[in-house]
Amino acid sequence: MAAPMGEQRGSGRLDALLVSHLPNVRYLCGFTGSNGLLLLTASNATLFTDGRYREQAAQEVTAIGAARVVIPARGDLWKAAAARLRPSARVGIEGNHVTLAQRQRFLQHWAGSAARLRNASGGIEAQRAVKDPTEVAAIRRAVELASSVFLPTVAQLRPGMPETEAAGRLEFALRQAGGEGLSFDTIVAAGPRSALVHGSPSHAPLPQRGFVVMDYGVILGGYVSDMTRTVHAGRPDARARAVYATVLEAQAAAVAAVRPGAACAAVDRAARKIITKAGWGRQFPHSTGHGVGLEIHEAPRIAATASDTLVAGQVITIEPGVYIPGWGGVRIEDVVLVTAHGAEVLTPSTKEMLSF
Ligand SMILES: [Mn+2]
């Protein structure tokens, strides 16, 4: 799936890389357990894990031909890795994910010095940002599964139903349809609570009249989906129609800006321009999107402050929103594949404003 060494960016030349961020471990060697440390050198790869995963690791660790599985006595993975490294080696660790205690444990058992440790964070993440066809297929399946439960769930919504129950119905449907898990805690936020960007489901009832934001995702084959639809209880008034139409137009404009070579900031700008022109620029307080893959938020960021450009094979969300305190909010989110010449929206669900 990925070359062991030599492609890590921003870390200088390394003799060894210690991969401890579990999604990166999974990406590089296929191991899905909750405790693992992958040591990569120019010539080989060693996965350290504990006794609970002896059988599982043997089954899963296949992607790197030479990957060996080592189960150290007393389960001290960092000590075991340290014992295998020369003192003169330049060793990369994932500084964004390694705890101070792990770093200290490693240095305690390594003959080398802290001055030879490098922060190699972001290198594997940069590789992961561009998906191969197998990964795109896995994301597509997750996105399609999530989309398939949207309309049937909307058909069950009634004014008075607690947000928690609406979220539960969505989640049950995702599991029933074969979901391995949820990408993140489901968001169902209704009425004035729909103005909360990340409103966790509460006991508040769905209103007689007002928006209901539903933001949810499912894991399939290890890969996540992410979608948001906003539906309306009762008849939408003129303001509700105007806000919805603006967010929908902004979402379409950002999707239309997606193509290889496009600046991520320009995609964000495409959405923001339309919302700002409609007078709600200050009510759009988050970035337009993010990469998805093994994790729900990964590279690239689709934000005003992003400096990178899109590459074919990246899979991102496009999710502008408008949130008016005390009144309500609208967000519309699709997963979009950057193709060789443009973009493909993977999320098949309708974006018409649905009422219940
Ligand atoms: Mn998202």
Side-chain angles (χ1 to χ4, degrees):
M1 206 167 228
M5 287 284 296
E7 291 175 28
Q8 322 315 334
R9 288 189 207 164
S11 49
R13 283 192 51 224
L14 297 173
D15 301 306
L17 178 63
L18 280 162
V19 183
S20 56
H21 184 46
L22 290 170
N24 288 344
V25 171
R26 178 178 186 153
Y27 179 79
L28 292 169
C29 76
F31 178 66
T32 67
S34 67
N35 187 31
L37 177 63
L38 182 65
L39 169 60
L40 301 177
T41 65
S43 55
N44 59 53
T46 309
L47 175 74
F48 301 92
T49 183
D50 67 67
R52 294 171 298 167
Y53 292 114
R54 189 181 299 278
E55 178 67 16
Q56 183 178 325
Q59 289 173 13
E60 290 179 337
V61 176
T62 52
I64 297 175
R68 288 168 306 166
V69 176
V70 172
I71 304 202
R74 304 194 14 217
D76 196 333
L77 313 190
W78 288 87
K79 178 181 173 183
R84 282 162 195 260
L85 287 165
R86 284 179 291 111
S88 60
R90 285 155 302 190
V91 178
I93 57 173
E94 299 185 285
N96 291 354
H97 300 285
V98 174
T99 66
L100 185 56
Q102 288 170 329
R103 183 179 179 279
Q104 284 171 342
R105 188 98 189 113
F106 177 75
L107 286 172
Q108 218 179 349
H109 294 284
W110 184 39
S113 78
R116 302 195 76 79
L117 278 184
R118 302 278 187 277
N119 181 1
S121 266
I124 310 290
E125 282 82 351
Q127 294 177 34
R128 280 174 45 199
V130 179
K131 275 69 183 174
D132 69 25
T134 312
E135 295 181 283
V136 172
I139 296 170
R140 190 187 295 272
R141 279 195 297 275
V143 165
E144 286 175 356
L145 189 157
S147 293
S148 75
V149 310
F150 171 63
L151 287 179
T153 304
V154 171
Q156 299 171 39
L157 301 181
R158 302 283 181 270
M161 177 187 286
E163 291 172 349
T164 46
E165 183 181 338
R169 286 173 183 254
L170 203 47
E171 293 174 355
F172 182 77
L174 291 169
R175 281 293 203 173
Q176 198 173 33
E180 294 161 1
L182 304 174
S183 309
F184 52 89
D185 288 339
T186 299
I187 291 171
V188 173
R193 297 191 78 259
S194 60
L196 305 174
V197 176
H198 278 169
S200 316
S202 74
H203 297 140
L206 305 189
Q208 296 289 333
R209 203 173 189 197
F211 282 122
V212 181
V213 171
M214 305 161 73
D215 184 352
Y216 64 99
V218 71
I219 306 171
L220 204 54
Y223 285 79
V224 303
S225 75
D226 190 5
M227 74 181 273
T228 308
R229 288 293 182 272
T230 303
V231 298
H232 199 275
R235 245 178 90 83
D237 61 15
R239 190 193 203 187
R241 283 197 303 272
V243 170
Y244 194 94
T246 298
V247 173
L248 185 57
E249 189 188 343
Q251 208 266 351
V255 169
V258 174
R259 62 178 178 279
C264 293
V267 176
D268 180 89
R269 201 155 52 235
R272 205 164 296 280
K273 201 172 96 184
I274 284 161
I275 291 173
T276 302
K277 204 173 133 200
W280 290 304
R282 289 170 61 92
Q283 280 76 45
F284 176 21
H286 56 74
S287 55
T288 292
H290 54 87
V292 292
L294 289 171
E295 290 182 279
I296 186 62
H297 292 124
E298 46 180 75
R301 289 186 317 119
I302 313 300
T305 53
S307 55
D308 37 3
T309 54
L310 293 173
V311 175
Q314 290 180 330
V315 181
I316 59 175
T317 69
I318 297 292
E319 51 176 312
V322 168
Y323 312 88
I324 301 173
W327 181 74
V330 173
R331 180 167 63 256
I332 301 170
E333 175 183 30
D334 286 331
V335 170
V336 178
L337 168 67
V338 184
T339 62
H341 302 289
E344 180 190 355
V345 175
L346 301 186
T347 312
S349 294
T350 181
K351 287 179 268 192
E352 272 179 66
M353 180 162 52
L354 302 177
S355 293
F356 67 90

